[in-house]
Amino acid sequence: MKTENSRELLNDVIEWDICNWSHALKYWQDHSNLELKSANILELGSRNGGLSLWAALNGGNVLCTDLNGPTSKAQEKHKRYNIENRIRYGKLSALDIKYRNHFDIVMFKSVLGGIGYNSNKSAQKKAINQIFHSLKEGGEFWFAENLVASPLHRFLRKNYVNWGNAWGYVTVNEMTEYLSAFSNINYTTLGFLATFGRNESQREFLGILDNKVINKVVPKHWHYIIIGVAKK
């Protein structure tokens, strides 16, 4: 099996801008009262099953979901790591989670933007409410999401990203408002340059600059990633 911190594993788990988004994995574990081992876990918006792979490798029992079900790539990936016995698959909308008081951990990465397409903030709020009710008492929501970020990010998205005008980027204030029902919230923000990379090699170089220098000197509301743990 690939080691937990191997580059190949991080590629399979995070897939894009690995240098910045992979911070979520350590942050979640450092700020959680729960263990992944034997936990009952839901991944929303899974697509290629990255977070489900990581959670299962750490001993979790995972329901890997997306609106129309995870891709075939997700199952192929999980089989390569021999952890498919810890993962179930399903179609699930974050706006209609049937489970109540069921999961120890619900996790997602870059999901609210799609839910909030065309400024649908009420849908984003509803999704977080659904997550809250699906968690057991004392359960936790582990999230990593795209932020509105700086004027430069907003300009480039608007003019050079096909979905940039419609994607539901959130602010930190909106995110904390959505999470207001939770008893405790810890979060951090990071990332500035790496999103401008045209390929993963460029994003890796720029991500190193982010982590060594840029994250510390630009205003926090210019960061483009928010990572956090919210406890029910």
Side-chain angles (χ1 to χ4, degrees):
M1 181 187 296
K2 289 79 176 174
T3 61
E4 184 177 344
N5 296 314
S6 74
R7 183 67 189 192
E8 183 178 355
L9 175 57
L10 286 178
N11 284 339
D12 284 335
V13 171
I14 303 298
E15 297 188 323
W16 195 91
D17 186 9
I18 294 159
C19 191
N20 277 313
W21 287 91
S22 64
H23 281 272
L25 308 180
K26 185 175 188 300
Y27 187 91
W28 291 338
Q29 291 184 301
D30 286 349
H31 292 82
S32 174
N33 294 318
L34 303 176
E35 295 288 336
L36 284 167
K37 187 175 182 180
S38 300
N40 187 19
I41 299 166
L42 169 64
E43 183 189 3
L44 292 167
S46 172
R47 194 166 178 263
N48 294 328
L51 295 183
S52 293
L53 168 63
W54 173 72
L57 282 172
N58 281 277
N61 298 304
V62 187
L63 177 57
C64 177
T65 71
D66 208 322
L67 184 60
N68 296 307
T71 64
S72 59
K73 184 177 180 180
Q75 297 190 41
E76 293 165 4
K77 183 187 296 185
H78 299 156
K79 287 179 181 177
R80 280 197 284 113
Y81 287 85
N82 298 313
I83 44 77
E84 66 268 30
N85 62 316
R86 289 193 169 274
I87 301 177
R88 295 177 293 121
Y89 302 92
K91 298 179 181 180
L92 188 64
S93 168
L95 298 175
D96 186 23
I97 303 175
K98 301 297 186 185
Y99 300 89
R100 289 292 181 265
N101 303 306
H102 185 78
F103 296 104
D104 299 302
I105 299 167
V106 176
M107 57 177 60
F108 72 46
K109 178 174 73 72
S110 189
V111 166
L112 282 183
I115 292 171
Y117 216 68
N118 290 324
S119 301
N120 194 347
K121 300 297 183 181
S122 62
Q124 291 177 331
K125 187 172 184 178
K126 180 178 179 180
I128 301 300
N129 186 58
Q130 289 281 300
I131 290 167
F132 178 84
H133 289 296
S134 75
L135 286 164
K136 297 175 183 176
E137 197 66 33
E140 295 176 352
F141 172 36
W142 296 5
F143 60 90
E145 188 55 57
N146 290 282
L147 290 170
V148 168
S150 72
L152 176 61
H153 289 87
R154 295 195 290 273
F155 172 81
L156 293 176
R157 288 166 180 164
K158 179 179 180 180
N159 291 282
Y160 297 101
V161 178
N162 291 337
W163 60 87
N165 281 326
W167 196 256
Y169 297 99
V170 297
T171 66
V172 171
N173 286 342
E174 285 171 341
M175 196 68 193
T176 55
E177 178 190 343
Y178 296 160
L179 295 165
S180 59
F182 288 82
S183 65
N184 186 64
I185 307 164
N186 288 292
Y187 70 88
T188 189
T189 61
L190 69 153
F192 185 85
L193 289 176
T195 193
F196 303 131
R198 301 297 296 274
N199 55 53
E200 195 55 37
S201 294
Q202 291 180 11
R203 288 188 286 270
E204 175 74 14
F205 174 75
L206 295 172
I208 291 170
L209 288 179
D210 280 341
N211 284 279
K212 289 188 176 297
V213 180
I214 306 300
N215 285 338
K216 302 170 186 176
V217 299
V218 302
K220 289 186 180 299
H221 64 277
W222 283 10
H223 293 162
Y224 66 89
I225 301 170
I226 183 170
I227 293 165
V229 174
K231 179 180 178 181
K232 181 173 179 179

